[in-house]
Amino acid sequence: MTISIQISHRFSGFALDVDFDSPQGVTALFGRSGSGKTTVVNAVAGLLRPDQGRIIVGDEVLVDTARGVHIAVHKRRVGMVFQDGRLFPHLTVQQNLTYGQWFAPKGPDDFDHVVALLGLKTLLARRPGTLSGGEAQRVAIGRALLSRPRLLLMDEPLSALDEARKAEVLPYLERLRDESKIPILLVSHSVAEVARLATTVVALEAGRVVACGPAATVLGDPETVPVFGVREAGAVLDGVIAAQHSDGLTEIAVSAGRLFVPRVAGDVGARLRLRIAAQDVILSRQAPVGLSALNILAGTVTTVRRGASGGVIVQIVVGGDVLLARITARSADALGLEPGVAVHAIAKSVAVAQGDVGRMGVGAVSLPSP
């Protein structure tokens, strides 16, 4: 089910003008505070009536200002998950979940499936006051799913959680993405979350779309670095577990060769996604020898983007993927880097953090800086 959004709206001191389409999966809206992410979500939910535009989910037109169409909030079948769970404190988890079914159209009973999907079986008799933040968010997601929405909106659902609770919830969001056919529109300010969860990324800046496309394409584009931040710059590679070694390393096959990372849970053949931070990549004009680094991929420079502060972002094609490297202007000049130059990209194996390991399918395993 595709989502098509074309919105123009004016506030005092701010103008939103966005136009994008996204396919099935998780579409992440990313941008700085005030870029228009939540405004887009509010318009889709029906909480904001845009000055002009069209919003179409699948074959259902929710908004068409030219034709005077503006479907009421309660008729849109849109599930909403906020930063906090917003559960009813006087109801048990089971009662909170079944509350969502009151608004669901007739169909099969999905209760047991949703409970299993989100790991809620042991929580059903408890009340919200006894739940951790991660547990409460899982219940909130379950309640939204049990309303049988045609679209799920998630407005920074993990931003109020600490790192431990985020690590608890992320695998369930990956399962939801991979096992549910419901499209998800996700607002996030975390590059790591976007890299791990998103199938499509829409980068917003000052109310405008500056990039839209598959996560690997948008995150690996040097022109989007100002949106995501230089320190967060990095590229995404799809890979397959090739071997689990006895010394604690997992060998992952990517289009350009093999990468070694600290052990990733999964069977040989499982698909993963790797996010390699630009600041963790070193470049060499010759094939390096005598290094402790195990991850060396041959590639070709495609873009050299120079920043105002003297830093340089270099995009390198490696096999069928791209990498980004963040180096100094002095290093770029010394290496004579320009489009077409052959280089070797080097990344440390120990740059991976176990908490950034995603599930198979279109999941993600992130390789951030140490």
Side-chain angles (χ1 to χ4, degrees):
M1 183 182 295
T2 60
I3 307 170
S4 180
I5 298 176
Q6 303 166 24
I7 302 172
S8 293
H9 194 76
R10 300 293 181 270
F11 296 97
S12 177
F14 178 76
L16 179 74
D17 193 355
V18 299
D19 185 346
F20 64 88
D21 297 325
S22 62
Q24 179 74 33
V26 175
T27 299
L29 302 179
F30 187 93
R32 298 184 181 91
S33 295
S35 61
K37 305 184 298 296
T38 299
T39 301
V40 173
V41 168
N42 287 341
V44 175
L47 304 177
L48 170 74
R49 186 186 290 263
D51 296 333
Q52 293 180 320
R54 283 164 52 97
I55 300 173
I56 304 173
V57 179
D59 57 1
E60 182 75 15
V61 178
L62 303 184
V63 173
D64 188 337
T65 56
R67 296 165 47 202
V69 176
H70 185 85
I71 303 298
V73 175
H74 66 282
K75 294 182 178 180
R76 293 197 178 196
R77 289 183 55 199
V78 171
M80 191 82 177
V81 180
F82 300 93
Q83 294 181 21
D84 52 17
R86 302 193 183 186
L87 303 177
F88 297 113
H90 62 293
L91 301 180
T92 65
V93 166
Q94 180 162 346
Q95 291 168 331
N96 269 280
L97 292 171
T98 55
Y99 180 84
Q101 292 181 307
W102 280 94
F103 306 96
K106 290 184 178 180
D109 188 347
D110 297 327
F111 185 86
D112 290 340
H113 173 72
V114 169
V115 167
L117 179 69
L118 297 172
L120 302 175
K121 186 174 182 179
T122 61
L123 307 179
L124 295 178
R126 292 168 58 181
R127 295 187 185 275
T130 69
L131 303 177
S132 70
E135 290 169 340
Q137 281 300 81
R138 283 155 51 198
V139 175
I141 294 167
R143 183 176 62 184
L145 288 175
L146 285 169
S147 68
R148 300 189 68 205
R150 60 165 56 92
L151 171 66
L152 191 61
L153 303 178
M154 308 184 92
D155 191 358
E156 302 202 40
L158 305 182
S159 64
L161 304 180
D162 59 29
E163 292 304 315
R165 299 291 78 76
K166 286 182 183 180
E168 170 193 325
V169 176
L170 276 167
Y172 292 101
L173 293 182
E174 289 173 325
R175 289 186 63 186
L176 177 61
R177 175 201 61 205
D178 296 339
E179 299 178 20
S180 171
K181 295 182 179 180
I182 301 173
I184 300 172
L185 197 59
L186 170 73
V187 172
S188 177
H189 66 276
S190 167
V191 177
E193 289 174 16
V194 170
R196 182 162 173 171
L197 295 173
T199 49
T200 301
V201 176
V202 179
L204 298 174
E205 189 167 30
R208 302 291 190 275
V209 175
V210 296
C212 177
T217 301
V218 175
L219 293 172
D221 185 353
E223 296 304 314
T224 66
V225 169
V227 177
F228 294 99
V230 172
R231 293 184 180 276
E232 298 288 348
V236 172
L237 291 76
D238 290 328
V240 176
I241 295 180
Q244 298 284 13
H245 295 283
S246 60
D247 60 358
L249 293 179
T250 296
E251 183 177 348
I252 300 176
V254 296
S255 63
R258 299 296 175 97
L259 296 173
F260 295 86
V261 301
R263 186 172 298 278
V264 173
D267 298 328
V268 172
R271 295 171 55 200
L272 299 173
R273 191 193 294 178
L274 310 171
R275 178 176 179 268
I276 302 179
Q279 61 190 17
D280 290 330
V281 177
I282 300 171
L283 299 179
S284 172
R285 288 291 298 267
Q286 290 81 37
V289 295
L291 294 181
S292 62
L294 298 175
N295 298 324
I296 303 173
L297 300 177
T300 304
V301 174
T302 52
T303 305
V304 179
R305 187 182 189 280
R306 295 177 179 267
S309 60
V312 176
I313 295 292
V314 183
Q315 185 189 60
I316 311 104
V317 171
V318 289
D321 298 299
V322 299
L323 282 176
L324 295 181
R326 177 188 170 200
I327 62 176
T328 64
R330 178 175 295 189
S331 295
D333 292 339
L335 292 173
L337 298 183
E338 60 183 25
V341 169
V343 295
H344 289 78
I346 306 152
K348 289 183 178 181
S349 300
V350 295
V352 71
Q354 189 65 32
D356 290 319
V357 176
R359 59 170 280 149
M360 62 183 297
V362 290
V365 50
S366 178
L367 290 157
S369 59

